[in-house]
């Protein structure tokens, strides 16, 4: 059976554009792959805690001295297992202040784990989650694909680095841009992104049987 993990991170509830697109992908995938196990992890609605001096030793070194540390390690282990099991990862990523939401960064802080999702060797770092596909839906008020604001895009390079560090380098970014450039521009951006999502998840995907 294929496993599909959808991580949402918008803080905007039902009005979220990125969530609308991840849901569209989930709906198509549920019909296309009725046997697939689709897991929804919404860190926008139900945030993963930020790291603290108690959770870092637990997550990074297995040193558990507090209840918070024990809970953080259990959550991190669960999130890593969820990610490791996924053949396809879909991330809903709004742009907040030129980067990803802190809720999504906190999720990455819990899944980038030495020896579990990456490792260092004499030849440098190596990602351990090879063979997965990822689709990242980026919702932005402005335009960053081209023009003067392109240098302000600290979202896509960061997401590409974090995924690539874990060995996930088959990543397709769907940009939903110009959402604040008026209703026509927003409608066109969302319609274009819906088509892109259909094109990505509609055809036969090479997922684990
Ligand atoms: C806290 C916050 C910060 C934002 N910062 C940016 C930004 O730096 N650049 C941008 O283009 N849009 C920015 N936006 C607009 C969002 O990217 C846009 O509304 C997008 O649709 C959010 O995704 P969502 O609809 O899934 O919530 C920001 C929105 C919020 C709520």
């Amino acid at each position: 059976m294929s496993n599909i993990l959808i991580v949402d991170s918008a803080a905007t509830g039902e009005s979220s554009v990125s969530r609308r697109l991840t849901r569209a992908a989930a709906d198509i995938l549920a019909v296309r792959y009725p046997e697939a196990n689709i897991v929804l992890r919404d860190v926008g609605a139900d945030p993963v805690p930020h790291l603290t001096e108690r959770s870092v030793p637990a997550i990074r070194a297995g040193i558990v001295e507090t209840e918070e540390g024990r809970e953080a390690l259990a959550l991190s282990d669960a999130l890593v297992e969820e990610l490791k099991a996924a053949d396809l990862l879909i991330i809903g990523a709004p742009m907040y202040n030129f980067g990803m939401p802190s809720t999504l960064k906190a999720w990455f802080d819990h899944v980038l784990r030495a020896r579990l999702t990456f490792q260092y060797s004499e030849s440098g770092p190596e990602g351990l989650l090879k063979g997965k596909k990822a689709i990242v839906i980026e919702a932005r008020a402005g335009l960053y694909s081209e023009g003067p604001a392109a240098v302000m895009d600290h979202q896509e390079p960061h997401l590409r680095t974090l995924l690539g560090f874990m060995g996930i380098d088959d990543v397709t970014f769907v940009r939903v841009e110009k959402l604040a450039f008026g209703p026509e521009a927003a409608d066109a951006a969302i319609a274009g992104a819906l088509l892109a999502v259909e094109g990505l998840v509609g055809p036969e995907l090479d997922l684990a049987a």
Side-chain angles (χ1 to χ4, degrees):
M1 181 196 282
S2 302
N3 289 307
I4 297 164
L5 173 61
I6 300 181
V7 179
D8 274 307
S9 61
T12 46
E14 289 303 307
S15 64
S16 160
V17 171
S18 59
R19 199 175 271 110
R20 180 171 159 192
L21 286 153
T22 57
R23 282 209 187 136
D27 290 347
I28 295 168
L29 288 162
V31 174
R32 195 88 178 69
Y33 302 96
E35 300 298 315
N37 178 34
I38 301 180
V39 175
L40 301 176
R41 171 65 64 173
D42 193 334
V43 297
D46 189 9
V48 172
H50 284 145
L51 299 179
T52 68
E53 63 184 293
R54 290 160 302 281
S55 59
V56 166
I59 292 174
R60 293 182 67 89
I63 301 167
V64 177
E65 292 175 337
T66 63
E67 181 60 16
E68 183 184 329
R70 191 191 62 72
E71 286 176 8
L73 182 58
L75 176 61
S76 175
D77 285 346
L79 295 174
V80 167
E81 283 311 309
E82 226 168 56
L83 179 59
K84 279 171 77 174
D87 306 294
L88 172 64
L89 168 67
I90 300 179
I91 297 179
M95 177 184 276
Y96 287 173
N97 297 316
F98 309 103
M100 75 188 85
S102 59
T103 50
L104 184 55
K105 175 61 166 49
W107 178 80
F108 277 108
D109 289 339
H110 281 71
V111 297
L112 272 108
R113 296 262 307 269
R115 295 170 296 284
L116 293 182
T117 58
F118 70 90
Q119 68 186 11
Y120 277 99
S121 69
E122 285 169 5
S123 50
E126 181 194 5
L128 298 177
L129 301 187
K130 297 193 179 87
K132 299 183 190 302
K133 287 182 191 305
I135 298 169
V136 181
I137 294 158
E138 297 175 320
R140 298 123 169 237
L143 173 65
Y144 301 86
S145 291
E146 55 183 291
V151 293
M152 298 179 203
D153 180 1
H154 302 286
Q155 178 192 30
E156 188 167 313
H158 197 182
L159 286 164
R160 193 187 293 282
T161 297
L162 291 165
L163 292 168
F165 201 75
M166 295 187 286
I168 305 173
D169 41 29
D170 182 353
V171 187
T172 305
F173 289 90
V174 177
R175 300 180 190 136
V176 201
E177 300 192 290
K178 304 208 292 188
L179 289 168
F181 283 32
E184 275 183 27
D187 288 349
I190 293 168
L194 281 167
L195 274 180
V197 165
E198 282 167 25
L200 286 168
V201 301
E204 187 71 30
L205 289 170
D206 184 20
L207 301 180

